[in-house]
Amino acid sequence: MEFGTSGSLNEGALADGIHVDMDRLKKGEVKTTTGAYIANRVTDKLTQVHDTIWCCRSGSAADTQAVADIVHYQLGMYATANNRPPTTQTAAAMFQELCYENKDRLSAGLIIAGWDERHGGQVYSIPLGGSLHKQSYAIGGSGSTYIYGYCDSNWKEGMDEEAAVNFVKGALREAIKWDGSSGGVIRMVVLTKKGANRHLYLPDTDYAVRHQ
Amino acid sequence: MTSIGTGYDLTNSVFSPDGRNFQVEYAVKAVENGGTSIGIRCKDGVVLAVEKIITSKLLKVGANKRIATIDRHVGAVSSGLVPDGRHFVSRARDEAASWRSTYKTPITTKDLASRMGGYLQAYTLYSSVRPFGITAIVAGWDSELELPVDGQVGSGPSIGSGGKVEGKTYGGPGLYMIEPSGMYWGYYGAATGKGRQTAKAELEKLDLAALKLSLQDGVKEAARIIYVAHADNKDKEFELEMTWISNIDGPTKGRHQEVPKDILEEAENLAKKYLEGEDDEETKDDDKPAEGDKMEE
Amino acid sequence: MNHLPQAWGRPRDDIYGAYDSSYLQSHGPNQHTQQPIVTGTSVVALKFKDGVIIAADNLASYGSLARFTDVKRLRTFADTSVVGFGGDVSDMQYLDRLLNSLDTEEAYSSSGHTLNAQNLHTYLSKVFYKRRSDFNPLWNQILVAGLDGESKPFLASADLLGTTFSSPSLATGFGAHLAQPLLRKVAPDEEAAAKLSKEQALEAVKESMKVLFYRDARSLDNYSIAVITKDGIDLKENEKLEKQSWAFADQIRGYGTQIN
């Protein structure tokens, strides 16, 4: 049974997080479709849940936004109550609990990426059933199926920030190219000790120029 | 006892005009009559020890444990009213379990002490309850390693995560003492109960702040200190109960466990030998701090 | 047109008929998990003279997609037992945390007594049965390997329905069809299993994993294997299948006339 998800907006796009030597970097592209009609051609699916903990959402927009809102609130409470910032693991644990306990009501695929002092950059993936997977990089959403090969071939252990940005960009360009439901702009956020740094790349300039 | 007859001590949560809460102070009195408990923070682990007063010869030797496991990596002991100590343990276990189910990671010793401090403090605020008649010592070893989220699968890159802040260490031994008022501090060495003054004097000689004492030696010192402190409670029989938590490479692999029988017995024998030696040297045991009635230390 | 706010975003009743809000009602049956999503395939295990060997590959599939290739499906308990999980990975993680808290609660009493594999299997099978009776099953099939109360090798299975079974060799999922016959050849009964050496048992289990990799489309050549004896657990989580045989493909020719 599918109430609550049918008729909602589906973010038929690609979300991707990558874990690199220096940083945490995460990226998401962009299009929100309802059937073949593009409801929003410049969606921002990168969602901040704490200073340097972000998530990429795929699946039902309503569901993933609701889940992200709850975790955003809980992490804020955690930081205040314990007088220290939450770790990426804390965020991942909270996301997983929500996705697992409500699996029969949610259509949510999430990638959680974050940087914290103790663990550096980390990427977690929470697919449909609500399991939790620690990964070197994570891809998700409809477009991701087109780039499993690209990512497997091009990901290298211990990339620096520039190499990681290029890897993510390259992967997204492939997804946009082959997936009818992926397209538009490439949004990225780089998470390091310095904080969250956003990138934006546009098709007008063939994704070559950083606009943000 | 200046409080007597003033009426300000007849109910909990009421201040006297000079800003004291007598019910809490009376709870401290209950602690001061209890068998001595100590904790020692060593470089590779933490030890807990208690002088368990034997109230009847009809009780089974070794039964009725006084040191409890809170979570796998945390233990607690208390001096004072034993049933209050039991309730403290029960609440601490609930706190540790609820932390685990919320954050899917073990609670740190410090966070547990904070939660329990808050819990005990609440028992000074209401007229319907009384303060805890115990001072508790909580000891734990927080993993220095990066722990997975409980249940997680997958491990990320084989070289580990990038972007960590260099030169910082995490985890290690934790030792906290929580008083009836809810006040708690972290300690290098902690002592409470009847023989606390003697025990503290001994603990101070160990230079625990340098964090050089090994767990194996810590166990021997703990046994010795309990035996020495028993001088303050000479007329009663006691059993020595000891637990420890080592780091991941040590004998308990980060878990809170009873000190094995052979090591316990060895430490006890050394303690007895030490006492005998002391008696020979000087029979002037008299200048020991003969306290127990004193209000503050 | 109905402009009332409660009709916003809804198909018009005059065209599509009244909205069926029956699903919003709380009466009627609750609906829970109806399918596993991220899944692990077979687990195989075999008793031998001194203990039990258990193995499972490291794959978690998402439908036919080999999505996660580093999922360790053998979980240890109290340094004395191993549980091998097939089926839904999120439910495996739930059970892993449940066993974790069980282990913590066991440590509350300092009796030194720990739950053995037999106790563990009984506990888990009752959890499964309770959940299926709530119409909210844990979508797994598991094997529990270790020693029983008399320190003899113990091996038993439990599944999402609460069904249990015990045998000198066991396999879940595809393994029940492909590996079980091979293992039964090596250990047809308890007496035969009690005579098996560790080396013989290891060979049989590894051979089973190979056959499963050849014929189970949801399998991987990377696997975990554990040997449980009274001395403890020897768990290896990154084994690679060895001595595969593919060269005979050279001799095979497909349909139609060919010159070469």
Side-chain angles (χ1 to χ4, degrees):
Chain A
M1 166 154 123
E2 271 211 275
F3 67 87
T5 60
S6 50
S8 64
L9 288 178
N10 277 309
E11 301 195 352
L14 185 158
D16 167 320
I18 155 161
H19 172 287
V20 295
D21 181 36
M22 287 304 295
D23 326 273
R24 146 111 297 57
L25 209 160
K26 129 174 276 278
K27 150 255 155 268
E29 148 296 351
V30 289
K31 231 156 61 173
T32 298
T33 51
T34 309
Y37 178 68
I38 300 168
N40 183 350
R41 64 193 185 97
V42 287
T43 315
D44 180 12
K45 287 195 280 192
L46 297 175
T47 304
Q48 188 178 33
V49 289
H50 201 76
D51 300 2
T52 53
I53 306 174
W54 291 57
C55 69
C56 292
R57 304 177 288 109
S58 70
S60 152
D63 288 358
T64 53
Q65 283 169 10
V67 169
D69 285 350
I70 293 169
V71 173
H72 177 83
Y73 168 77
Q74 287 178 342
L75 291 177
M77 290 300 288
Y78 179 97
T80 319
N82 297 297
N83 227 272
R84 58 172 182 261
T87 62
T88 312
Q89 300 194 330
T90 308
M94 289 171 172
F95 271 115
Q96 196 217 1
E97 188 69 10
L98 289 166
C99 291
Y100 179 69
E101 291 301 330
N102 301 293
K103 62 161 81 181
D104 49 339
R105 283 177 285 258
L106 292 174
S107 168
L110 294 161
I111 291 168
I112 293 97
W115 176 90
D116 65 73
E117 224 178 65
R118 179 167 185 176
H119 305 91
Q122 290 188 313
V123 179
Y124 289 89
S125 176
I126 303 176
L128 241 42
S131 50
L132 179 65
H133 303 258
K134 184 177 180 185
Q135 301 201 270
S136 302
Y137 64 89
I139 55 180
S142 69
S144 69
T145 49
Y146 300 88
I147 56 168
Y148 270 78
Y150 180 94
C151 292
D152 192 50
S153 299
N154 290 92
W155 183 78
K156 303 271 181 313
E157 206 137 85
M159 285 187 281
D160 63 15
E161 182 170 333
E162 190 192 354
V165 168
N166 287 334
F167 168 77
V168 170
K169 206 202 286 175
L172 285 166
R173 291 186 60 161
E174 291 299 313
I176 290 167
K177 186 171 176 183
W178 301 111
D179 178 19
S181 301
S182 289
V185 303
I186 292 177
R187 294 184 189 278
M188 229 185 271
V189 61
V190 180
L191 273 12
T192 65
K193 127 170 116 216
K194 286 172 267 169
N197 189 207
R198 264 184 176 282
H199 294 219
L200 175 67
Y201 301 94
L202 307 180
D204 329 23
T205 49
D206 202 22
Y207 304 110
V209 183
R210 182 178 166 189
H211 289 269
Q212 188 181 354
Chain B
M1 288 242 159
T2 52
S3 50
I4 292 169
T6 62
Y8 292 111
D9 64 345
L10 294 179
T11 185
N12 196 11
S13 131
V14 165
F15 277 128
S16 77
D18 48 353
R20 296 161 66 181
N21 183 334
F22 287 116
Q23 284 294 314
V24 172
E25 292 184 17
Y26 297 165
V28 172
K29 287 283 167 199
V31 175
E32 289 170 359
N33 286 324
T36 312
S37 305
I38 62 165
I40 302 179
R41 194 169 163 275
C42 308
K43 70 171 179 215
D44 51 349
V46 201
V47 195
L48 286 176
V50 61
E51 170 205 24
K52 189 168 80 186
I53 301 296
I54 304 302
T55 51
S56 164
K57 288 209 186 313
L58 297 173
L59 291 170
K60 186 182 170 195
V61 174
N64 306 308
K65 296 289 181 212
R66 287 278 306 283
I67 312 181
T69 299
I70 304 302
D71 199 338
R72 280 181 289 183
H73 64 301
V74 183
V77 65
S78 58
S79 292
L81 307 182
V82 174
D84 288 27
R86 293 253 165 80
H87 179 69
F88 178 93
V89 165
S90 162
R91 176 68 187 200
R93 285 172 175 169
D94 288 351
E95 290 288 353
S98 112
W99 181 283
R100 253 191 208 267
S101 67
T102 308
Y103 302 119
K104 299 185 167 68
T105 189
I107 192 169
T108 61
T109 316
K110 184 180 181 176
D111 286 322
L112 181 69
S114 162
R115 296 250 178 142
M116 293 313 292
Y119 188 66
L120 263 60
Q121 196 270 340
Y123 278 74
T124 68
L125 297 176
Y126 304 96
S127 57
S128 53
V129 294
R130 61 165 176 78
F132 276 69
I134 57 158
T135 287
I137 300 174
V138 175
W141 184 277
D142 304 321
S143 178
E144 321 89 303
L145 309 173
E146 283 177 33
L147 294 176
V149 180
D150 284 354
Q152 128 194 341
V153 292
S155 46
S158 62
I159 54 169
S161 299
K164 285 180 232 180
V165 172
E166 297 293 323
K168 284 210 174 189
T169 56
Y170 300 89
L175 184 66
Y176 293 83
M177 188 157 74
I178 307 154
E179 298 175 21
S181 61
M183 188 174 78
Y184 71 98
W185 300 109
Y187 290 85
Y188 295 120
T192 182
K194 196 156 201 167
R196 68 195 174 285
Q197 212 68 251
T198 314
K200 278 180 197 170
E202 292 295 326
L203 286 168
E204 280 169 18
K205 291 181 203 160
L206 296 177
D207 188 23
L208 294 169
L211 211 62
K212 291 216 173 86
L213 187 69
S214 73
L215 183 59
Q216 299 287 349
D217 290 342
V219 163
K220 289 170 190 158
E221 292 296 347
R224 185 181 63 81
I225 292 170
I226 290 293
Y227 269 82
V228 172
H230 181 65
D232 299 334
N233 210 357
K234 254 184 190 148
D235 47 324
K236 291 185 179 128
E237 294 280 303
F238 82 103
E239 279 171 24
L240 171 66
E241 195 181 314
M242 272 204 294
T243 63
W244 61 0
I245 311 132
S246 78
N247 63 17
I248 202 81
D249 305 317
T252 81
K253 300 188 175 77
R255 285 174 163 243
H256 175 249
Q257 284 173 352
E258 278 175 34
V259 173
K261 218 170 179 185
D262 51 333
I263 299 178
L264 181 82
E265 277 170 11
E266 187 200 346
E268 252 181 315
N269 288 336
L270 285 171
K272 286 175 193 161
K273 208 172 281 174
Y274 172 84
L275 280 188
E276 283 165 20
E278 229 189 15
D279 287 346
D280 295 346
E281 249 172 62
E282 353 124 59
T283 341
K284 50 155 194 164
D285 249 317
D286 312 9
D287 59 358
K288 237 184 219 150
E291 66 98 18
D293 284 342
K294 247 182 271 167
M295 181 88 188
E296 283 296 338
E297 33 235 20
Chain C
M1 180 180 152
N2 188 346
H3 60 277
L4 297 173
Q6 50 269 47
W8 291 358
R10 292 232 42 255
R12 289 166 56 182
D13 290 355
D14 53 340
I15 293 178
Y16 296 99
Y19 184 56
D20 175 12
S21 59
S22 59
Y23 77 89
L24 292 168
Q25 258 72 66
S26 58
H27 48 77
N30 280 325
Q31 296 197 12
H32 298 285
T33 314
Q34 297 302 323
Q35 54 181 331
I37 310 276
V38 177
T39 58
T41 181
S42 324
V43 185
V44 302
L46 173 63
K47 285 196 210 175
F48 68 101
K49 182 159 51 96
D50 306 314
V52 192
I53 295 177
I54 183 168
D57 70 27
N58 293 344
L59 179 67
S61 303
Y62 184 81
S64 61
L65 176 65
R67 186 151 182 193
F68 302 102
T69 53
D70 58 353
V71 176
K72 312 294 157 65
R73 297 191 287 122
L74 299 185
R75 301 267 157 164
T76 60
F77 181 82
D79 296 330
T80 55
S81 308
V82 174
V83 187
F85 289 88
D88 193 90
V89 171
S90 66
D91 288 338
M92 172 182 90
Q93 294 183 322
Y94 168 79
L95 285 166
D96 192 39
R97 290 193 293 268
L98 186 71
L99 292 182
N100 230 337
S101 66
L102 181 68
D103 186 42
T104 304
E105 284 162 26
E106 283 299 302
Y108 289 167
S109 84
S110 54
S111 62
H113 173 264
T114 50
L115 297 177
N116 60 39
Q118 192 170 29
N119 302 143
L120 190 61
H121 175 256
T122 305
Y123 177 83
L124 283 169
S125 66
K126 282 170 193 259
V127 171
F128 279 123
Y129 183 67
K130 165 76 167 63
R131 288 290 296 263
R132 85 101 221 193
S133 301
D134 292 343
F135 297 95
N136 187 197
L138 291 163
W139 219 283
N140 299 103
Q141 206 171 3
I142 61 158
L143 298 185
V144 183
L147 302 174
D148 66 13
E150 288 156 7
S151 295
K152 293 225 269 294
F154 176 86
L155 173 62
S157 76
D159 67 13
L160 68 168
L161 303 176
T163 318
T164 63
F165 200 74
S166 189
S167 162
S169 64
L170 284 171
T172 72
F174 234 88
H177 302 92
L178 294 180
Q180 187 71 269
L182 301 170
L183 298 172
R184 279 195 190 145
K185 229 185 266 180
V186 186
D189 51 30
E190 291 287 353
E191 289 77 58
K195 283 180 197 144
L196 276 184
S197 71
K198 178 175 140 186
E199 289 67 32
Q200 288 172 307
L202 265 177
E203 194 192 314
V205 170
K206 287 183 176 175
E207 191 62 24
S208 298
M209 293 306 288
K210 195 155 62 179
V211 170
L212 282 168
F213 178 62
Y214 288 152
R215 297 292 175 172
D216 177 2
R218 306 286 169 267
S219 71
L220 195 67
D221 53 356
N222 203 271
Y223 66 101
S224 304
I225 187 163
V227 181
I228 307 117
T229 61
K230 65 174 180 334
D231 299 325
I233 300 167
D234 178 20
L235 173 62
K236 298 198 185 96
E237 294 188 311
N238 239 320
E239 298 296 282
K240 200 81 183 149
L241 280 183
E242 285 166 355
K243 289 180 265 172
Q244 291 181 42
S245 147
W246 294 99
F248 68 94
D250 190 30
Q251 309 303 315
I252 309 296
R253 287 294 174 273
Y255 173 77
T257 316
Q258 297 181 5
I259 310 294
N260 299 310

